[in-house]
């Protein structure tokens, strides 16, 4: 039995006048009457053992978007259910009306809609629902917690989608050029046309020239059906917050934009989230659209507080693609000892693939460089200068091994990585 807190004042107002009268007998009599009324009220309250709940799953929703969780309350008892329902969603689900009053007549049902606005990506859950049934006098109540599990998958928001139209236009312009003056790996035959001054003589098609009695050259277009392998670092360095999101979330945004762009460009895309073991995997070779697979694979990812197993990365890439591919490592340039992890692995991969290292840079470093008004500001500026010099040194060493480096602030990383992909595709190096 649960005595309703909001009716305690009513009981006290009934007892206080009696306490002013002489004699404890009257007090005990009134207390007994109130206890009897509460017991009667409890007996008349609807039994919660005859209440059944069903839940309609809200499905998937993107981060910060609204969703509705619908509960159906069925009263199989003979008494009217007057009470309160609490749907126990975790706080990050953003339930705006998780506690609601309900009134369900016998042999009827009512639907209760709980509005959600999730504040965290991943799988959010509501394990149970708590019901409180009041009697007609509202002096006492029955309470019971019923198992009614619910879940909501919150997908990455894909804010970098806004860059997709402009990048696709660049890709279509690249693919639609009349001629790409590049020979060798990374080009496909497109068509034949008449020779004009300035064309590479190595592009002359001698058989077609003999048939037409005019000099004819081959035109080329960027190769399609190339392999793009994206490896997202989910180790401890990805847990650091930069601006308003973690490195992991920024890496997801960059991977989503690059993955969709590469798929639209006719390439085969594979995605791998890895630290010491595989956390998620998706690819365009599977069924369904790539974007749907990527957001589903990324949704439950969390940064793991362990070190990245860099020596295992080449084998993971080899398992995804045995051919020359564009390998994109979404990681950090300033965590741990790069000379023992990232550098040798990137150099090893660069001997067989085109490798791009994409890392997010904290914009606060640039701000700290300018703040030198106080002694503390000078020390912070020196620390920021040292961090930036270390990143520059690592980037230089990576480039010496033939690795492309994209080092940018959070909102700039996705479009700059996409531009790097387009540039490499235009150069025929994929």
């Amino acid at each position: 039995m649960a005595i309703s807190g909001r009716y305690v004042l009513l009981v006290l107002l009934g007892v206080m006048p009696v306490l002013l009268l002489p004699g404890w007998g009257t007090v005990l009599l009134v207390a007994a009457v109130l206890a009897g009324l509460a017991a009667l009220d409890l007996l008349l309250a609807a039994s919660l053992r005859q209440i059944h709940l069903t839940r309609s799953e809200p499905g998937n929703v993107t981060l910060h978007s609204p969703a509705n969780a619908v509960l159906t309350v069925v009263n199989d008892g003979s008494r009217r259910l007057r009470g309160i329902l609490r749907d126990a969603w975790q706080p990050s689900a953003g339930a705006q009306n998780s506690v609601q009053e309900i009134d369900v007549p016998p042999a009827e049902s009512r639907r209760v809609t709980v509005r959600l606005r999730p504040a965290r990506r991943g799988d959010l859950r509501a394990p149970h629902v708590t019901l409180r049934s009041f009697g007609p006098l509202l002096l006492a109540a029955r309470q019971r917690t019923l198992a009614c599990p619910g879940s909501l998958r919150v997908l990455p928001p894909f804010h970098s989608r806004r860059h997709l139209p402009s990048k696709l236009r660049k890709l279509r312009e690249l693919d639609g050029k009349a001629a790409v003056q590049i020979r060798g790996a990374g080009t496909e035959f497109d068509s034949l046309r008449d020779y004009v001054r300035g064309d590479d003589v190595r592009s002359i098609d001698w058989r077609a020239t003999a048939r037409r009695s005019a000099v004819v050259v081959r035109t080329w277009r960027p190769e399609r059906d190339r392999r793009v392998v994206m490896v997202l670092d989910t180790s401890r360095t990805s847990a650091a917050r930069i601006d308003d999101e973690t490195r992991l979330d920024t890496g997801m945004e960059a991977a989503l934009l690059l993955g969709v762009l590469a798929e639209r460009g006719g390439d085969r895309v594979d995605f791998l989230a890895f630290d010491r073991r595989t956390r998620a995997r998706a690819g365009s070779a599977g069924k369904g659209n790539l974007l749907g697979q990527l957001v589903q694979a990324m949704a439950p990812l969390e940064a793991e507080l362990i070190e990245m197993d860099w020596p295992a990365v080449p084998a993971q890439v080899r398992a995804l693609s045995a051919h020359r591919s564009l390998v994109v490592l979404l990681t950090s340039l300033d965590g741990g000892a790069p000379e023992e992890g990232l550098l040798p692995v990137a150099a090893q991969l660069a001997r067989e693939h085109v490798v791009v290292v994409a890392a997010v840079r904290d914009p606060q470093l640039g701000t700290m460089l300018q703040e030198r008004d106080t002694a503390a500001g000078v020390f912070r500026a020196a620390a920021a200068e040292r961090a930036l010099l270390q990143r520059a040194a690592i980037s230089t060493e990576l480039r010496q091994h033939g690795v492309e480096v994209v080092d940018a602030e959070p909102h700039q990383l996705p479009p700059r990585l996409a531009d790097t992909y387009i540039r490499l595709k235009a150069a025929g190096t994929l």
Side-chain angles (χ1 to χ4, degrees):
M1 181 182 72
I3 301 298
S4 174
R6 60 177 177 172
Y7 300 108
V8 171
L9 180 60
L10 177 63
V11 175
L12 290 177
L13 290 175
V15 173
M16 284 300 294
V18 180
L19 294 177
L20 299 177
L21 298 176
W24 287 98
T26 305
V27 175
L28 295 175
L29 177 61
V30 172
V33 170
L34 290 176
L37 289 175
L40 177 62
D41 200 35
L42 185 64
L43 289 173
L44 295 177
S47 172
L48 294 177
R49 296 186 180 278
Q50 296 178 315
I51 304 298
H52 302 284
L53 297 173
T54 57
R55 183 188 293 274
S56 175
E57 295 286 352
N60 300 332
V61 66
T62 57
L63 185 64
H64 302 303
S65 297
N68 290 328
V70 180
L71 289 165
T72 302
V73 184
V74 181
N75 185 359
D76 291 332
S78 58
R79 294 191 180 95
R80 190 182 195 93
L81 172 62
R82 303 179 182 86
I84 296 176
L85 175 146
R86 180 183 182 274
D87 196 5
W89 285 97
Q90 60 194 88
S92 55
Q96 301 173 12
N97 57 339
S98 60
V99 179
Q100 299 188 38
E101 294 185 356
I102 54 173
D103 189 348
V104 186
E108 294 189 17
S109 63
R110 293 290 185 270
R111 298 179 65 186
V112 177
T113 301
V114 179
R115 297 188 300 275
L116 307 174
R117 187 175 290 274
R120 183 175 66 82
R121 173 185 47 78
D123 291 327
L124 308 181
R125 306 187 186 281
H128 54 258
V129 175
T130 299
L131 288 173
R132 181 174 291 180
S133 172
F134 291 104
L137 299 178
L138 303 178
L139 293 178
R142 304 170 185 264
Q143 182 168 304
R144 189 182 182 195
T145 298
L146 304 176
C148 187
S151 63
L152 171 67
R153 171 157 285 191
V154 184
L155 306 177
F158 194 14
H159 294 307
S160 57
R161 185 195 297 268
R162 65 182 182 274
H163 300 291
L164 188 58
S166 62
K167 304 308 176 188
L168 285 174
R169 281 196 298 272
K170 288 184 179 180
L171 200 60
R172 282 193 291 266
E173 290 172 3
L174 174 67
D175 199 27
K177 285 182 179 178
V180 180
Q181 300 295 335
I182 303 166
R183 293 180 57 83
T187 59
E188 284 183 348
F189 172 74
D190 184 35
S191 60
L192 298 172
R193 64 170 176 80
D194 292 336
Y195 174 85
V196 296
R197 181 175 297 180
D199 284 342
D200 190 338
V201 295
R202 293 175 296 180
S203 298
I204 297 175
D205 189 313
W206 295 107
R207 291 185 180 180
T209 297
R211 288 196 300 267
R212 294 187 54 183
S213 300
V215 180
V216 177
V217 296
R218 299 185 186 95
T219 63
W220 309 87
R221 65 181 180 184
E223 275 188 294
R224 304 175 70 86
D225 196 26
R226 298 294 90 193
R227 302 294 295 266
V228 178
V229 179
M230 300 181 293
V231 181
L232 178 63
D233 180 359
T234 57
S235 66
R236 64 174 183 84
T237 57
S238 64
R241 293 194 69 85
I242 298 179
D243 275 357
D244 57 347
E245 62 184 14
T246 64
R247 278 199 181 103
L248 181 63
D249 289 303
T250 303
M252 290 181 187
E253 288 287 329
L256 286 171
L257 180 61
L258 176 60
V260 175
L261 183 65
E263 185 193 37
R264 300 284 182 87
D267 295 332
R268 178 174 173 177
V269 180
D270 290 288
F271 169 79
L272 176 70
F274 185 79
D275 40 65
R276 287 191 173 276
R277 64 180 180 88
T278 300
R279 303 291 176 176
R281 181 176 292 177
S284 55
K287 297 180 180 179
N289 66 85
L290 176 64
L291 178 59
Q293 292 186 58
L294 287 176
V295 295
Q296 288 290 341
M298 292 177 179
L301 287 178
E302 297 291 344
E304 303 292 333
L305 300 182
I306 55 179
E307 293 292 338
M308 178 72 166
D309 185 8
W310 282 109
V313 171
Q316 296 292 331
V317 173
R318 198 175 304 113
L320 292 172
S321 174
H323 306 284
R324 181 178 174 83
S325 307
L326 171 63
V327 178
V328 181
L329 303 177
L330 295 150
T331 184
S332 170
L333 291 179
D334 54 5
E339 63 276 3
E340 298 177 3
L342 173 62
L343 287 173
V345 170
Q348 178 183 345
L349 289 171
R351 290 194 286 268
E352 301 177 9
H353 307 279
V354 179
V355 180
V356 177
V357 173
V360 59
R361 184 176 67 248
D362 192 347
Q364 188 66 23
L365 293 175
T367 304
M368 291 167 61
L369 284 175
Q370 309 301 324
E371 298 175 352
R372 305 185 182 213
D373 300 333
T374 63
V378 171
F379 280 110
R380 284 194 293 268
E385 183 74 27
R386 179 180 177 83
L388 290 173
L389 289 174
Q390 287 177 341
R391 295 177 71 90
I394 295 170
S395 299
T396 300
E397 190 166 353
L398 285 169
R399 292 188 178 100
Q400 289 174 351
H401 291 288
V403 178
E404 294 278 344
V405 179
V406 180
D407 185 17
E409 296 180 359
H411 300 297
Q412 298 174 355
L413 183 65
R416 285 189 56 182
L417 180 59
D419 289 337
T420 300
Y421 163 77
I422 294 172
R423 175 170 56 82
L424 293 173
K425 199 172 183 67
T429 57
L430 296 187

